Amino acid sequence: PRTAPTTAVAACVTFGLDAPAPGQWGLIDADGCSWLACGPVRLMTADALPIAGRHNALNVLAALAMVAPADIAVNTAAQ
């Protein structure tokens, strides 16, 4: 059986604990804080999350990376 896509797929969106490339999700360490970010755009500090830990920040980034291609606003996704 064929396992590769037979039609074009949307661009790959990634997330991780490192500083993200444009259009990707990650953490930016700046101003003494870790910031959840999409590319160079800082969205919020990891400390502002209601749950502590970098692994939880990574879970939030994963969720944002999944909803972003669906054109769901970050504010809506955060709720």
Side-chain angles (χ1 to χ4, degrees), residues 23-74:
Q24 307 304 315
W25 299 86
L27 291 177
I28 295 175
D29 291 322
D31 301 327
C33 298
S34 289
W35 293 80
L36 280 74
C38 182
V41 179
R42 298 182 209 173
L43 303 171
M44 66 183 295
T45 65
D47 291 342
L49 294 172
I51 48 179
R54 288 176 77 82
H55 61 288
N56 287 317
L58 190 60
N59 290 339
V60 171
L61 290 168
L64 291 171
M66 288 186 344
V67 300
D71 291 326
I72 298 172
V74 172

